[in-house]
Amino acid sequence: MSVRSARLAVPAVLADGRGLSGGMLRQLFIGQCLVLALHLAWMPAWLAGLALVVAGYRFVQLRRGLPRAGILLRLAAVGGLVLALWLQFGTLGSMDGLVGLLLGVYLLKLLETHDRRDARVVVVIGLVTTAVAFLHDQGIPMAAGALLAVAWLLQSLVWLSGASGRRQAWRETAWLLVLSAPLMALLFVSFPRLGPLWSMPQMDRAATGLTDTISPGDIAELSRSDARAFRARFEGREPTPDERYWRVYTLSHFDGTRWSRVTPDQLAATLGRPVDAFVEVGTRSPWQSHEGEHFNAELLLEPDSRPWRPSLGTPLESDSRQRYLADGTLEGLTPLSSRSLLKLASSAAPPANQDPAGARWNRLLPDDTNPRTRALAERLWRENGGDPDAYLAAMMARFGEAPYRYTLSPPRLFGDHRVDDFLFDSQAGYCTYYASAAAVMARMAGIPARVVAGFLGGERHPDGHFTVRDYDAHAWVEVWRNGAWRRLDPTAVIAPERIEQGPQAVDDGAEAFLADARFSPLHMREVGWANRLRLEWERLEYRWQRGVIGYQRESRRSLMAQLVSGWRATWAWLEARLPGSGVMATALGLMVVLVATAGLAWLARHGCQYRRRRRDVRWLVGRLQARLARRGLGARPGESPAAHLRRVAPWAGPAGRALNDCAQDLERLAYAPLEERERHQRRRRLAERVAEVRRRLPRQRHGSGGAGA
């Protein structure tokens, strides 16, 4: 027997015929590293140390011949894992805690992996853990990384099944992936979306940094982040920069320090009115007129543990049921656990309806706060003759005068009179400083006012979609005048460049912009080629998220309708051009039915014949011997089938063991007095071993292992 043949005769995954070799353990560990890499951006980094410790222990165990990890060591490892995750997340009931537990158990499984069955379990857990990685993200890098991990895990399974070499293992893995790709594409296009794995609740994740309570300085912190809030594409006219006010929260309660939102349930309980007076569920807003110009946008929303939906101005109509609030904000029925598409029509203007809470509610102020601001409001009111519009104009003009300045690094304000401290002492701030001061001064003059928190602007990409990020967060004021809400934005007075170009255009405190995203590609916006690469990648990623991740029931229905329409158009074209269209159509239809029926009948007959032949021992063994002969391992003259299979087994590589089993089963069926049940089991086992030989038999010919060997 040649050295190469001897090497092929022993499965490469086994060290002694039963236990796993160091090479196979290394294969499994590399697979663990690939799967772990998909999670590390969201999971604790010490899991990588756990993987290294487990792999190092197994390496030392193999090198020094140490005994297997005992039950006490394994229980201690699992207990330590649970304790570490508890300390990390505070609970194991959260999604991150459960994912961390699955990942840790997957890494610890290598401690008790000693044979083929254990290795297969490790690979299966790896496949599940790879799928769970999409709970974190569904972007292109995650999909590419998951494909690489799955390919490696499948290759490990092929090795465990007896591949004769690395090249054969990768070839069969690639063949499996290629064969499965059309089926995956067909299922993706046609199968109803039943809610993918990543739609499980993730209540601890929020996409935007906005909250429903703000105080001066809160939004300034968001200028340090480049996190994406949502993306939008418009049908028809796009809004101009001064129309891109994205409404998220309406804040009507002021306690002297912070502005906060009051829920419809809280308003109903406080004012003694039904909840329906403040919110309604549907696809159209009952509070707004749908006449006049409006903008139609498709929003690609990021996952968020809160149910808020941004709208360009006042929401009017959506493609799915939402909660329309009377204060002009939009809320989803549930939080978003994955990226989602929302088609929304909105007005880009403040709400035209009166707040059901009433004008008195939007004039409430604490009596004992900000005395200097109150004195200033009284003076301006007198100077303008008690005219609300003139008073508001004077207030806004005051913000535009020196020494007030707009800065991304505002001073921190403390104490109970923060509006006083801003207007008379620091006189420098971000949008929330000016919005809070303007709303307070309007209420002090008896004018209903409220603060709106959301986003302003967004980066327009060359393909037409807009990306809105955390640093686009903004706050402005709405006042009730002449039967409608009117938008007042002090930022437009003191820093008009913020409205036109975004926060990056503000020079004062510019070092704070993107300070928490030091490696963001947005820092290279001024470098032409780098910015073009960034925009191209974001365009590709947007199309991926919108077309693949955002493929929902409506998209599937639209595609199916297009296919049916195309088939009908093709059929109509044939009918119009063939002579005797009615007769020809009937003939073609009958021909298609006959061909399909004949094909099904042939497949059924062939399947029945194949199943009957599989029970014929002579037919099975004859086909196997013919296959061996084509590999140069034919039978000698006068040699029995069992003797032939045993003789060529050493030259058959990983199929040798199955050939010996075939020979044993064949002799038992031929000579042993077996009961019918045992005979049936032996025939079934023989068929399985023959199939195993066909899978594992090397493709190369063996000139020295033929009839003359």
Side-chain angles (χ1 to χ4, degrees), residues 32 104-113 118 121-122 125:
Q32 287 184 330
V105 169
Y106 172 51
L107 300 176
L108 290 177
K109 182 64 180 175
L110 204 62
L111 283 176
E112 58 175 10
T113 302
D118 295 337
V121 171
V122 171
I125 298 177

Side-chain angles (χ1 to χ4, degrees), residues 7 33 43 76 81 249 268 276 309 432 456 504 513 563 585 590-591 669 680 695:
R7 187 183 302 138
C33 292
M43 289 288 103
L81 171 68
Y249 301 110
D276 294 346
R309 310 290 188 260
T432 44
L456 173 62
Q504 62 269 27
F513 183 66
L563 292 176
L590 289 175
M591 186 179 301
L669 286 169
H680 174 73
R695 290 195 305 270

Side-chain angles (χ1 to χ4, degrees), residues 536-615:
E536 187 64 24
W537 169 255
E538 291 186 357
R539 179 189 66 83
L540 179 63
E541 205 269 343
Y542 172 73
R543 291 188 176 182
W544 165 268
Q545 296 290 345
R546 182 178 176 274
V548 178
I549 305 302
Y551 184 84
Q552 300 293 337
R553 182 182 303 173
E554 292 75 14
S555 303
R556 182 175 61 85
R557 288 177 177 175
S558 176
L559 179 60
M560 294 297 105
Q562 291 178 7
L563 292 176
V564 171
S565 176
W567 167 252
R568 288 176 176 173
T570 303
W571 187 260
W573 183 84
L574 287 173
E575 282 189 328
R577 284 160 177 77
L578 291 176
S581 58
V583 177
M584 290 299 297
T586 303
L588 285 174
L590 289 175
M591 186 179 301
V592 170
V593 172
L594 290 175
V595 170
T597 303
L600 291 175
W602 181 85
L603 288 175
R605 180 172 178 272
H606 183 74
C608 291
Q609 286 181 350
Y610 182 73
R611 293 191 63 181
R612 284 198 302 268
R613 287 178 176 177
R614 279 177 60 88
R615 293 194 289 266

Side-chain angles (χ1 to χ4, degrees), residues 413-631:
L413 299 179
F414 303 95
D416 298 330
H417 308 291
R418 299 188 184 182
V419 177
D420 279 0
D421 296 340
F422 164 64
L423 288 177
F424 299 97
D425 298 329
S426 68
Q427 297 180 327
Y430 200 56
C431 59
T432 44
Y433 289 77
Y434 290 95
S436 178
V440 167
M441 291 184 67
R443 288 191 174 191
M444 286 178 173
I447 303 172
R450 59 195 186 187
V451 174
V452 181
F455 299 91
L456 173 62
E459 181 183 30
R460 188 186 188 281
H461 293 256
D463 65 345
H465 82 273
F466 291 81
T467 298
V468 180
R469 305 180 186 274
D470 272 0
Y471 61 66
D472 292 312
H474 192 58
W476 60 94
V477 182
E478 287 180 348
V479 295
W480 180 258
R481 294 298 304 140
N482 302 321
W485 290 99
R486 171 186 167 195
R487 181 189 298 134
L488 293 179
D489 190 356
T491 301
V493 177
I494 191 171
E497 68 275 10
R498 164 65 181 94
I499 306 298
E500 294 290 333
Q501 304 174 39
Q504 62 269 27
V506 179
D507 294 330
D508 197 344
E511 68 279 355
F513 183 66
L514 297 180
D516 293 340
R518 299 188 182 278
F519 301 102
S520 172
L522 289 166
H523 286 292
M524 304 184 69
R525 293 186 308 276
E526 305 303 325
V527 182
W529 65 269
N531 196 52
R532 286 192 297 271
L533 285 178
R534 177 184 67 85
L535 293 175
E536 187 64 24
W537 169 255
E538 291 186 357
R539 179 189 66 83
L540 179 63
E541 205 269 343
Y542 172 73
R543 291 188 176 182
W544 165 268
Q545 296 290 345
R546 182 178 176 274
V548 178
I549 305 302
Y551 184 84
Q552 300 293 337
R553 182 182 303 173
E554 292 75 14
S555 303
R556 182 175 61 85
R557 288 177 177 175
S558 176
L559 179 60
M560 294 297 105
Q562 291 178 7
L563 292 176
V564 171
S565 176
W567 167 252
R568 288 176 176 173
T570 303
W571 187 260
W573 183 84
L574 287 173
E575 282 189 328
R577 284 160 177 77
L578 291 176
S581 58
V583 177
M584 290 299 297
T586 303
L588 285 174
L590 289 175
M591 186 179 301
V592 170
V593 172
L594 290 175
V595 170
T597 303
L600 291 175
W602 181 85
L603 288 175
R605 180 172 178 272
H606 183 74
C608 291
Q609 286 181 350
Y610 182 73
R611 293 191 63 181
R612 284 198 302 268
R613 287 178 176 177
R614 279 177 60 88
R615 293 194 289 266
D616 186 349
V617 175
R618 289 179 298 178
W619 182 80
L620 276 175
V621 176
R623 289 193 65 186
L624 178 58
Q625 288 184 291
R627 179 177 288 270
L628 291 171
R630 289 195 294 271
R631 298 294 191 276

Side-chain angles (χ1 to χ4, degrees), residues 42-349:
W42 297 270
M43 289 288 103
W46 53 260
L47 285 172
L50 176 64
L52 292 174
V53 169
V54 172
Y57 176 84
R58 289 309 310 271
F59 175 76
V60 174
Q61 182 190 37
L62 286 177
R63 289 291 299 269
R64 299 185 179 180
L66 299 179
R68 298 182 180 182
I71 184 65
L72 293 179
L73 176 60
R74 286 178 281 165
L75 288 177
V78 174
L81 171 68
V82 172
L83 178 61
L85 290 173
W86 183 276
L87 295 175
Q88 179 78 34
F89 300 112
T91 178
L92 292 181
S94 66
M95 186 57 61
D96 286 339
L98 293 174
V99 173
L101 183 61
L102 173 64
L103 193 56
V105 169
Y106 172 51
L107 300 176
L108 290 177
K109 182 64 180 175
L110 204 62
L111 283 176
E112 58 175 10
T113 302
H114 296 284
D115 54 24
R116 286 182 190 271
R117 178 184 175 278
D118 295 337
R120 290 191 179 105
V121 171
V122 171
V123 173
V124 171
I125 298 177
L127 292 172
V128 174
T129 311
T130 301
V132 170
F134 287 101
L135 285 168
H136 306 302
D137 181 67
Q138 301 95 48
I140 296 177
M142 178 64 76
L147 179 61
L148 176 61
V150 167
W152 187 271
L153 294 174
L154 288 179
Q155 187 233 9
S156 301
L157 277 181
V158 174
W159 270 95
L160 289 168
S161 299
S164 60
R166 188 174 301 275
R167 180 176 299 178
Q168 181 187 5
W170 277 114
R171 183 170 60 246
E172 294 190 10
T173 301
W175 185 239
L176 287 172
L177 292 174
V178 169
L179 287 178
S180 62
L183 178 61
M184 289 190 294
L186 178 62
L187 291 176
F188 174 82
V189 170
S190 60
F191 200 74
R193 305 303 292 270
L194 301 178
L197 184 63
W198 55 82
S199 68
M200 297 173 67
Q202 303 172 71
M203 300 307 296
D204 55 346
R205 178 173 298 181
T208 72
L210 286 176
T211 63
D212 55 2
T213 61
I214 64 170
S215 64
D218 286 352
I219 290 184
E221 294 297 321
L222 297 183
S223 66
R224 305 171 65 91
S225 169
D226 69 339
R228 187 168 49 225
F230 61 92
R231 284 167 285 193
R233 179 184 293 274
F234 292 93
E235 298 177 6
R237 186 176 79 85
E238 296 178 355
T240 59
D242 59 351
E243 292 176 316
R244 296 181 202 150
Y245 282 84
W246 298 94
R247 188 187 203 94
V248 178
Y249 301 110
T250 301
L251 313 177
S252 59
H253 179 259
F254 182 65
D255 62 3
T257 302
R258 303 184 69 85
W259 287 88
S260 60
R261 166 187 172 264
V262 184
T263 66
D265 292 334
Q266 293 170 333
L267 284 172
T270 302
L271 302 177
R273 302 186 59 185
V275 177
D276 294 346
F278 304 97
V279 61
E280 183 166 323
V281 178
T283 59
R284 292 171 64 92
S285 171
W287 321 105
Q288 308 296 325
S289 172
H290 295 260
E291 299 177 357
E293 184 184 19
H294 58 271
F295 294 91
N296 296 314
E298 180 188 73
L299 306 180
L300 180 57
L301 305 173
E302 295 294 311
D304 201 320
S305 60
R306 297 158 300 191
W308 301 106
R309 310 290 188 260
S311 62
L312 188 69
T314 307
L316 301 177
E317 186 175 1
S318 57
D319 64 341
S320 59
R321 289 168 59 83
Q322 308 289 333
R323 285 166 53 92
Y324 290 86
L325 276 63
D327 60 12
T329 56
L330 187 66
E331 183 182 20
L333 301 182
T334 59
L336 291 178
S337 55
S338 64
R339 290 187 177 93
S340 180
L341 288 172
L342 173 65
K343 292 184 178 180
L344 183 66
S346 53
S347 65

